[in-house]
Each structure stands twice: as C-alpha cells, then as structure tokens.
Amino acid sequence: MSHATPPGWYPDTGAPGLERWWDGTAWTAHTRRPGAAQAAPEQPPAPAAFGPPSLPHQRGPGGGSGGGNRTRILAFTLSGVLVVGAAVAGAVLLGRDEGGTPAAPTTATSSPAPVAAPTATASSSAGPGPDEDPTVLVDQLNGVTLPVPQGWEKPEGTSDDAATIRTEQSYDCPSAAAFCYHGTVTTRTARGGESDVRTLAEADIATAADKAYEEDGLGRRTHGGITSHRVLKAQELTVAGRTGYLVRWKVTTGKGPGGYVQSLVFPSSVGAGTPVIVRFAFDAGAPGLPLSLMDTITRGIRPLGDSATSGGVGASIGP
C-alpha cells in the first residue's frame, strides 16, 4: 500500500500566485495561475533543480518482504543521494505538509563570504596624522598648525568653538566661582571683510584682553575686571610664510596678578587668504610660563601640510 501524493497542480510557495505540477515523484518546471484551464502536461520535463519533497512513506506487504523491501531500499538509496547532493550543491529539500500536500519549492539563501580581518601590520604601518598628534594643533578651516608645548593640552571643545590649546592644570579664578587656565592660545577666522593685518591686530587686541581678563562667556568677571593696560609690542613679522602683524599688551586686573595678551594676524594659506587671528593670554607670574613662550609658539606656526609639522612639532617646546 502506498501513500505517495498523486500527480497534480499544487500551490508554489516559492512563487506566490502560481501553481506547480507535481508528477507524483518530483516537481516539474510547469507552472500556471490558480484555476487556469491548463491540462496536465503530457510529457513533463525533467524534475526542476530545486529538488523533490520528502519521499512518500512506503511499506511492503508482510512486514518488509518482496516488493516492499525493494521499494524501501530504493527510497533510502534515492534519499541518501539527494541528501549528499543537497550538501554539496546547496539545494533545499522540499517536504510534505501534514495534510499530505507536497510542499512547494523554497529559495535558499547562501551565506555571505567571510570578510578578512585587517592585519596588525596593515593597521600600524602608518604613523599618526597631525590631527592625532598631541604635540600639534591642527586648524583645518584656517589652514595652519600650532605647536603644543609640554604641559599643555588640546581640549575637545570650548565655549566659542575656536581651535584651542591651553595649560593642562586649571585653578580657581581669583574673583568668581569658575575655573581659569594660566595659558590659552586660540585660532579663528577674521570677520567683517577687513584684510589689512595691522588694522585687524590693533582692533582685536582689546577684544582679546576682554575675553581673557574682563568677562568670560557667561558674563563673570573672573579676574575682577581690567583696571589698566600697557602696550609691550606692536610689530610686523612673518608667520607661516606670510607677512603678519602682532600687538601685545600687559593688563592689570582688579584681582590676581593680571596677565599678558597678544593678537597675531596673518593671511591664511588656503582659499582666498582670509586673515587668521591667533589670540594669546598668559597669566603674569605663572610658574613655568615665561613670556618668551609666546614667541616660541608664534615661530612654530606652519601652513597646513608643511613637512615641518610632521613628527611632533611641539615635542621639543618646553614651558
């Protein structure tokens, strides 16, 4: 007695909306729309490449003798061949559902090829770029780099979003509940359309002094405000291969020792050459912070991409 599924049209789950012809032993390549007036194929082609469903369970009379044994042997042999073929070729075996209807072919997805992990040699062969070098401050917008002295840092963010370096150690401001730094240097783009570097430097020095010693970004008079100032230097000089101008003041504050501020202006080496403003603020009398360090940092300013900026420009610059 055999329980094999008879030939006929059955739903194709691998192609919704179609029926596929089951010839009693395997799926064929014949398909049709459900209910379409299409007779059974007279000479069905070879079984499709997607493979047959599970073989019907067959049992020979007399508990496994005669023709029943031959049927079982043939079924097991064919099943083994199909399993091996599926393992090698990746075909998907199709089974029957509980109601005896042969399952339609399904599509198997192949596993993606493994991606080779990068080797340690490839990832470590190149040295760190200027942005990653702790001894160099890179200002991409203005096309310059500045050396970072020993004991200074590059903060990730500041209140005015300017490229900044400053002393690592902070202290309580003399006249307000806030943190101050003994030394700070920032770079920014000149605004307003003015291109004369001397004019810009002479106009910016008062702003640099106010930002450092009059009021901070929150309106706090961290040093008790500026009571007086004295011009220490005003001169033309060459910066990053361009002619610039600097103005330096000594300021006296209501509280604390006061300090030194400097505005340095020179044309950028990128784009239309819009001037770059570099502001310096050093507390007076701070240990390890000589006024000559302003000149050392100024001499170390380079155009972006200059070969002198590689290899750690600020490594030899001490306080």
Side-chain angles (χ1 to χ4, degrees), residues 46 60 66 88 92 188 203 237 251 258 301:
V88 175
V92 178
R188 65 196 68 240
L237 75 168
V251 298
I301 298 175

PDB file of all heavy atoms in Angstrom, residues 46 60 66 88 92 188 203 237 251 258 301:
ATOM      1  N   ALA A  46      12.160  17.099 -17.185  1.00  0.00           N
ATOM      2  CA  ALA A  46      12.892  16.561 -16.042  1.00  0.00           C
ATOM      3  C   ALA A  46      12.591  17.374 -14.808  1.00  0.00           C
ATOM      4  O   ALA A  46      12.256  18.558 -14.881  1.00  0.00           O
ATOM      5  CB  ALA A  46      14.393  16.594 -16.333  1.00  0.00           C
ATOM      6  N   GLY A  60       6.001  -2.395   2.322  1.00  0.00           N
ATOM      7  CA  GLY A  60       5.657  -3.582   1.562  1.00  0.00           C
ATOM      8  C   GLY A  60       4.822  -4.540   2.377  1.00  0.00           C
ATOM      9  O   GLY A  60       4.811  -4.494   3.605  1.00  0.00           O
ATOM     10  N   GLY A  66       9.732  -8.975  -0.156  1.00  0.00           N
ATOM     11  CA  GLY A  66       9.363  -8.899  -1.568  1.00  0.00           C
ATOM     12  C   GLY A  66       9.500  -7.498  -2.098  1.00  0.00           C
ATOM     13  O   GLY A  66      10.473  -6.805  -1.890  1.00  0.00           O
ATOM     14  N   VAL A  88      26.303  19.212  -1.088  1.00  0.00           N
ATOM     15  CA  VAL A  88      27.337  19.691  -1.999  1.00  0.00           C
ATOM     16  C   VAL A  88      26.860  20.903  -2.770  1.00  0.00           C
ATOM     17  O   VAL A  88      27.565  21.895  -2.902  1.00  0.00           O
ATOM     18  CB  VAL A  88      27.763  18.567  -2.966  1.00  0.00           C
ATOM     19  CG1 VAL A  88      28.753  19.092  -4.002  1.00  0.00           C
ATOM     20  CG2 VAL A  88      28.382  17.420  -2.173  1.00  0.00           C
ATOM     21  N   VAL A  92      17.723  22.935  -1.628  1.00  0.00           N
ATOM     22  CA  VAL A  92      16.813  22.875  -0.492  1.00  0.00           C
ATOM     23  C   VAL A  92      15.836  21.728  -0.704  1.00  0.00           C
ATOM     24  O   VAL A  92      15.142  21.679  -1.716  1.00  0.00           O
ATOM     25  CB  VAL A  92      16.040  24.206  -0.350  1.00  0.00           C
ATOM     26  CG1 VAL A  92      15.056  24.130   0.803  1.00  0.00           C
ATOM     27  CG2 VAL A  92      17.008  25.344  -0.157  1.00  0.00           C
ATOM     28  N   ARG A 188      41.249  81.673  15.000  1.00  0.00           N
ATOM     29  CA  ARG A 188      39.918  81.948  14.460  1.00  0.00           C
ATOM     30  C   ARG A 188      40.054  82.709  13.140  1.00  0.00           C
ATOM     31  O   ARG A 188      41.126  83.257  12.835  1.00  0.00           O
ATOM     32  CB  ARG A 188      39.086  82.733  15.464  1.00  0.00           C
ATOM     33  CG  ARG A 188      39.613  84.116  15.747  1.00  0.00           C
ATOM     34  CD  ARG A 188      38.987  84.709  17.018  1.00  0.00           C
ATOM     35  NE  ARG A 188      39.436  83.987  18.199  1.00  0.00           N
ATOM     36  CZ  ARG A 188      38.615  83.357  19.035  1.00  0.00           C
ATOM     37  NH1 ARG A 188      37.306  83.360  18.820  1.00  0.00           N
ATOM     38  NH2 ARG A 188      39.076  82.737  20.082  1.00  0.00           N
ATOM     39  N   ALA A 203      42.745  96.273  16.241  1.00  0.00           N
ATOM     40  CA  ALA A 203      41.344  96.266  16.667  1.00  0.00           C
ATOM     41  C   ALA A 203      41.032  95.056  17.541  1.00  0.00           C
ATOM     42  O   ALA A 203      40.187  95.134  18.444  1.00  0.00           O
ATOM     43  CB  ALA A 203      40.428  96.288  15.441  1.00  0.00           C
ATOM     44  N   LEU A 237      55.754  91.014  11.255  1.00  0.00           N
ATOM     45  CA  LEU A 237      56.599  89.816  11.288  1.00  0.00           C
ATOM     46  C   LEU A 237      56.080  88.801  10.280  1.00  0.00           C
ATOM     47  O   LEU A 237      54.969  88.954   9.744  1.00  0.00           O
ATOM     48  CB  LEU A 237      56.638  89.201  12.679  1.00  0.00           C
ATOM     49  CG  LEU A 237      55.395  88.419  13.176  1.00  0.00           C
ATOM     50  CD1 LEU A 237      55.727  87.647  14.428  1.00  0.00           C
ATOM     51  CD2 LEU A 237      54.195  89.320  13.392  1.00  0.00           C
ATOM     52  N   VAL A 251      48.199  93.611  30.961  1.00  0.00           N
ATOM     53  CA  VAL A 251      46.985  94.123  31.588  1.00  0.00           C
ATOM     54  C   VAL A 251      47.053  93.942  33.096  1.00  0.00           C
ATOM     55  O   VAL A 251      47.580  92.955  33.602  1.00  0.00           O
ATOM     56  CB  VAL A 251      45.725  93.420  31.028  1.00  0.00           C
ATOM     57  CG1 VAL A 251      45.582  93.680  29.544  1.00  0.00           C
ATOM     58  CG2 VAL A 251      45.751  91.932  31.306  1.00  0.00           C
ATOM     59  N   GLY A 258      47.014  89.724  37.086  1.00  0.00           N
ATOM     60  CA  GLY A 258      46.867  90.228  35.724  1.00  0.00           C
ATOM     61  C   GLY A 258      47.549  89.301  34.737  1.00  0.00           C
ATOM     62  O   GLY A 258      47.822  88.125  35.035  1.00  0.00           O
ATOM     63  N   ILE A 301      54.265  78.250  14.209  1.00  0.00           N
ATOM     64  CA  ILE A 301      53.052  78.175  13.384  1.00  0.00           C
ATOM     65  C   ILE A 301      53.454  77.839  11.947  1.00  0.00           C
ATOM     66  O   ILE A 301      54.365  78.439  11.390  1.00  0.00           O
ATOM     67  CB  ILE A 301      52.272  79.501  13.428  1.00  0.00           C
ATOM     68  CG1 ILE A 301      51.806  79.792  14.855  1.00  0.00           C
ATOM     69  CG2 ILE A 301      51.073  79.453  12.474  1.00  0.00           C
ATOM     70  CD1 ILE A 301      51.133  81.141  15.027  1.00  0.00           C
TER      71      ILE A 301
END
